[in-house]
Amino acid sequence: MSTNEGSTNEGSTNEGSTDEGSTNEGSTDEGSTGGEYGDPATRTRLLDAAWTEIAEQGAGLTLGAVATRAGVSRQALYLHFGDRAGLLVALVQHMDESLDLGPSLAAVQAASDGPSLIEALMRLNASFWRHVLPVARVLESSQDTDDALGAAWRERMTFRQATFRGMIETLDERGDLAVAWTVDDAAGVLYAVAHFDTWRELVVRLAWSDDRYVDVMSRTLSTALLSDQARSGVT
């Protein structure tokens, strides 16, 4: 987890501003065979290539390797994402879209009661971390040594904090949140319990099954955060 891969200097190099960026790569075969900079299909191909590269190469991911895997010029990659940090931030957003995270979160928030919401959220959380594990492992371990990877990880954590706060606000509006909790405190606890580190320790290192993780985390959160009435199903 804490390998030296994340200490590569690539994230802080001038790769995006080297002479290569000003070459005529933009007029290579890609431009003459119908490909367009800004083309959604090219963007998706680049993001899928980056997903595979970071899973295989870890923090050693290079823009050249991503471009080669996607079958486009490196100049095309620059024009889509600007630099390595821009590519990686776009990648974590692309992973959400590929996994239909938005609709899945909406379904969780529409759960009929507090315990059901928490259980659905923990099940989604377990599924999400399992799908993105190779990338999450690299981003988390390299966040303090690679600026681009760190930016992508922080963007993801900011999104999760806002998402979990929204879940807690829903519980509070329904009267399901225990009166001892403020929204801020409850949202912080939910964010921490659902964090990658917690999931990884229980599921990867202690070999818990997804079902065990969901059951234990759901019971823990429901007991801690929900009112007695919400837990008993009394309205």
Side-chain angles (χ1 to χ4, degrees):
M1 299 299 177
S2 56
T3 64
N4 292 328
E5 280 187 334
S7 60
T8 177
N9 292 326
E10 185 192 5
S12 58
T13 63
N14 294 324
E15 186 178 14
S17 58
T18 60
D19 289 340
E20 183 182 15
S22 59
T23 65
N24 292 325
E25 271 195 316
S27 59
T28 62
D29 288 346
E30 185 196 2
S32 61
T33 58
E36 291 184 21
Y37 299 126
D39 173 45
T42 300
R43 178 183 174 87
T44 298
R45 202 159 71 247
L46 283 162
L47 290 169
D48 287 340
W51 194 339
T52 302
E53 279 293 317
I54 198 171
E56 293 181 357
Q57 304 301 325
L61 166 138
T62 67
L63 299 184
V66 172
T68 298
R69 185 180 288 270
V72 303
S73 67
R74 184 141 51 167
Q75 180 68 4
L77 189 152
Y78 290 136
L79 290 171
H80 275 278
F81 302 107
D83 56 18
R84 188 166 177 263
L87 171 66
L88 291 169
V89 169
L91 172 60
V92 295
Q93 296 167 346
H94 174 65
M95 291 191 298
D96 288 354
E97 294 167 1
S98 298
L99 297 172
D100 292 326
L101 186 61
S104 297
L105 286 171
V108 169
Q109 200 142 6
S112 59
D113 55 62
S116 297
L117 186 152
I118 288 176
E119 181 178 358
L121 182 59
M122 288 301 98
R123 190 162 299 282
L124 176 60
N125 193 60
S127 175
F128 177 81
W129 285 132
R130 187 171 293 282
H131 278 95
V132 304
L133 173 60
V135 175
R137 182 181 281 147
V138 172
L139 296 180
E140 191 273 340
S141 66
S142 304
Q143 61 181 311
D144 296 324
T145 56
D146 185 301
D147 290 343
L149 294 173
W153 184 250
R154 287 189 295 274
E155 192 277 341
R156 194 70 338 225
M157 295 305 101
T158 298
F159 171 80
R160 288 176 64 84
Q161 289 165 13
T163 297
F164 291 136
R165 183 183 177 87
M167 297 294 176
I168 293 297
E169 287 173 345
T170 295
L171 294 174
D172 189 43
E173 290 164 3
R174 294 177 180 176
D176 288 344
L177 187 65
V179 294
W181 289 96
T182 65
V183 168
D184 281 348
D185 287 349
V189 167
L190 179 57
Y191 166 73
V193 170
H195 198 275
F196 174 67
D197 289 344
T198 306
W199 175 85
R200 179 184 57 194
E201 291 301 311
L202 294 174
V203 176
V204 177
R205 293 186 176 169
L206 296 183
W208 282 23
S209 67
D210 284 354
D211 285 343
R212 183 181 180 186
Y213 170 86
V214 171
D215 177 60
V216 173
M217 293 295 99
S218 297
R219 285 191 286 109
T220 300
L221 287 168
S222 291
T223 300
L225 299 179
L226 299 182
S227 67
D228 293 340
Q229 294 87 343
R231 292 199 308 275
S232 64
V234 176
T235 58

